[in-house]
Amino acid sequence: QKEVEQNSGPLSVPEGAIASLNCTYSDRGSQSFFWYRQYSGKSPELIMFIYSNGDKEDGRFTAQLNKASQYVSLLIRDSQPSDSATYLCAVKDNFNKFYFGSGTKLNVKP
Amino acid sequence: NAGVTQTPKFRILKIGQSMTLQCTQDMNHNYMYWYRQDPGMGLKLIYYSVGAGITDKGEVPNGYNVSRSTTEDFPLRLELAAPSQTSVYFCASSSIALGDGYTFGSGTRLTVV
């Protein structure tokens, strides 16, 4: 069974702060890693993917990958109340199947 | 482009009834998936398909069936509904590209009473 672990939260940060979301995975053969944002009652939407060790930046979002430690993180800079959502970490295996963590709920306080 | 279209959006079933959740995509993706999402439990894979005529079980296939007669359509059949199948169901599709994530449908909220 391929496991993807996330802290369920909630993670509360003040507006303008950096939110740090973490994820660990069990399958060392995993190739690519994704972060989805899910607003309450909505379907998940893709915000970032990463497949190389190191950092990948896209606007206010930075994904970090450490394959040796089997660890993925997402940093959200200058957090806004509109960033309040559940963030899902997903790992893609060699058969194009995704395994999802249970998600971390983020609350950004104005 | 419509992307991934799921119907219905909401449904209430009585125990023992059956129904089909419809899923259609217009992106010519070979890969299609059905997930269920229970509160606080993340997304669990029910069934997936790598192309027309090819399907396989995921993590939680019991109580469900699928078929894939065309690239576009991937319906999910619930037979003999049980309260444990109360959940939100998402259909998704993707290509094989390394950086290609899922495109999700809007979901079906199913309640079995």
Side-chain angles (χ1 to χ4, degrees):
Chain A
Q1 186 78 354
K2 297 174 183 176
E3 302 288 339
V4 180
E5 300 286 342
Q6 293 181 256
N7 187 322
S8 61
L11 173 66
S12 292
V13 300
E15 183 175 356
I18 296 175
S20 178
L21 306 163
N22 304 314
C23 171
T24 59
Y25 60 95
S26 64
D27 182 13
R28 285 195 170 274
S30 300
Q31 297 294 315
S32 49
F33 308 86
F34 297 75
W35 284 98
Y36 285 82
R37 177 176 61 200
Q38 187 176 26
Y39 293 112
S40 181
K42 302 295 186 181
S43 57
E45 56 178 325
L46 179 65
I47 53 173
M48 289 284 290
F49 82 92
I50 186 168
Y51 56 86
S52 298
N53 275 329
D55 296 358
K56 180 181 179 183
E57 186 174 317
D58 184 0
R60 295 186 297 111
F61 298 99
T62 299
Q64 299 174 317
L65 174 61
N66 183 327
K67 288 187 177 180
S69 301
Q70 296 174 247
Y71 178 89
V72 192
S73 65
L74 179 70
L75 301 178
I76 306 175
R77 290 181 300 281
D78 189 23
S79 295
Q80 301 297 308
S82 60
D83 294 326
S84 297
T86 296
Y87 289 80
L88 302 171
C89 173
V91 176
K92 188 175 185 178
D93 72 6
N94 292 332
F95 302 96
N96 218 49
K97 287 187 291 181
F98 282 58
Y99 295 87
F100 289 84
S102 57
T104 298
K105 186 174 176 64
L106 174 65
N107 291 327
V108 181
K109 302 176 184 177
Chain B
N1 281 344
V4 178
T5 302
Q6 279 185 246
T7 56
K9 293 192 184 303
F10 303 94
R11 183 73 185 267
I12 298 175
L13 277 182
K14 293 184 178 180
I15 294 171
Q17 287 184 322
S18 300
M19 75 164 293
T20 299
L21 281 64
Q22 301 293 343
C23 178
T24 300
Q25 54 96 6
D26 63 358
M27 297 169 285
N28 203 34
H29 284 163
N30 284 328
Y31 292 80
M32 295 188 74
Y33 313 81
W34 276 104
Y35 283 83
R36 60 177 287 173
Q37 186 176 36
D38 299 326
M41 297 297 289
L43 289 147
K44 298 295 183 185
L45 181 63
I46 304 171
Y47 270 96
Y48 67 102
S49 170
V50 302
I54 306 170
T55 63
D56 205 351
K57 296 177 181 179
E59 302 168 86
V60 290
N62 291 344
Y64 307 95
N65 272 304
V66 294
S67 59
R68 183 99 182 268
S69 57
T70 66
T71 298
E72 294 78 20
D73 300 308
F74 190 40
L76 178 71
R77 178 83 177 162
L78 278 72
E79 304 282 1
L80 299 174
S84 61
Q85 293 177 304
T86 294
S87 189
V88 179
Y89 292 84
F90 289 104
C91 179
S93 72
S94 80
S95 74
I96 191 66
L98 185 66
D100 193 20
Y102 285 168
T103 300
F104 282 93
S106 57
T108 297
R109 187 174 296 274
L110 175 68
T111 302
V112 182
V113 297

